Every structure is written in structure tokens, then in C-alpha cells.
Amino acid sequence: MKVQKFSLSDAKLERSPGQDADIFVGNLVDERHGGPVTIGYGRYAPNQSLTETMAVHDTMIILQGRLSVSTADGTVTAGPGDIVYMPKGESVTIATEGEGALTAYVTYPHWAEAHEG
Amino acid sequence: MKVQKFSLSDAKLERSPGQDADIFVGNLVDERHGGPVTIGYGRYAPNQSLTETMAVHDTMIILQGRLSVSTADGTVTAGPGDIVYMPKGESVTIATEGEGALTAYVTYPHWAEAHEG
């Protein structure tokens, strides 16, 4: 794969698998492209919540809005320009309040393969 | 490592190794933390340029400003919210004009180890 530049408009956002909240993700780079990481954008509507045990190491960069990530150790809240690192194996609840949030994410290894496996 | 949230103020920005342009990087997560990826922030002053053959797969998210990435195939320009994926092995020139740029990056594998190796 070559150097590529992506914008939000390049992503096809679809409801994140295995949950029915208004949380939508769109991969731009993934297992189809031969590299080691999955890259995409995520959009969280206001007042949504998603609880998950991380199947991959996931780095989220908050581009707009605000979200919180809660674990057994506590809750962090992140806004524009902040980074949240969620290592594989951690149990997290990602939640939005009134603003919702737009994120970019990079996972290692590929997210779809880890979920299917 | 646990879930962690980082802001720009958490990063100690230092001149990017092996070059003397006004380009500064600060790792927040790297080989010291036991995971597979390096995560950090990068700040590019205006009118800087850096040419490099990628030692790692590097995903840059542009948080502020604007930068261009040129390869033998052409040039892409990215602004706030855009993502640039630079696979290992690609030769790139990253350049800023009048605005400079602030980025977040995620590399696989670790950047420092690849540079030393």
C-alpha cells in the first residue's frame, strides 16, 4: 500500500458490530490492505454508551465533541485533540453525553479479525 | 498498561532525531510500556521539511494546521481531522507552509527501536 490521505467524507460509517447504540464506525485501512493496522473514523451520537472488552490495542484520537472511558480503575474524559489508549484485554465503557463525539482510531492488530476470531 | 488519556500538555516535545528542522515529537506510549505501538504528538513549525524512508507504519492525524506529504506518486495535503497513512518502506517528504501543523501519531512497530535497528 502507498501513502494515503483520508478525510471523514472518505469513510462509510456503519453501526459498530455487536451493539445497537448510535455508534458508527468506518474503516479506511484494514485487513484488506495488507498492513498491520486498522484505521478509521468513529461517530458517537449524544448520550450513547458501549461496554466492551478490548480485542485489540485501540488508540482513539478525539476530533470533535467529548467522550468518557470508564474502567474498574476510574473514568477519563477526553475532548478535541486528546488521545485515549485502550490496550487489549481491558474492559471499557465508552460513553457520550450531550455533545456526542467524532474520533479517529488506529488498532493493532486488525479489529475485524480479532472480533471474528 | 491500563487505559490512559493523554493531552498535548502531557507530551515532552523534542527535536525529532536525525534531522535539524523545527519538527518536534513527544512519545506518550512506546517500547517502555510493553504494548505494540508508539503513540505521540508532533509539532511542525511553518516552512519546514523532512525527508525520510519510513522505518515503521505511521498513521498521522492532523489536529491543527496543514501539512503535505510527497512521494514518487505525488503529493497529498492534509488539514484538521484528516489522516495520513505512511506505510513502512515508503520514502516521504513531509512539509509545512505558513501555518505549521500539530499531529497525533500511532506507529507500529515502535519507532525508536526501528530507528536504532
Side-chain angles (χ1 to χ4, degrees), chain B residues 33-78:
Chain B
H33 302 97
V37 295
T38 292
I39 304 168
Y41 288 106
R43 185 182 289 287
Y44 297 70
N47 304 309
Q48 302 299 307
S49 173
L50 167 65
T51 296
E52 188 164 18
T53 297
M54 301 305 298
V56 296
H57 302 272
D58 189 348
T59 305
M60 272 196 312
I61 297 93
I62 289 77
L63 300 174
Q64 298 172 17
R66 188 162 294 276
L67 55 73
S68 67
V69 180
S70 301
T71 68
D73 295 316
T75 297
V76 295
T77 300

Side-chain angles (χ1 to χ4, degrees), chain A residues 4 6-7 41 81-83 85, chain B residues 4 6-7 41 81-83 85:
Chain A
Q4 289 207 54
F6 302 103
S7 299
Y41 288 106
D82 292 340
I83 300 172
Y85 177 54
Chain B
Q4 289 208 54
F6 302 102
S7 299
Y41 288 106
D82 292 340
I83 299 171
Y85 177 54

Side-chain angles (χ1 to χ4, degrees), chain B residues 80-105:
Chain B
D82 292 340
I83 299 171
V84 180
Y85 177 54
M86 300 181 290
K88 184 174 171 174
E90 290 285 297
S91 289
V92 303
T93 296
I94 304 174
T96 53
E97 297 191 346
E99 284 182 274
L102 175 68
T103 67
Y105 56 80

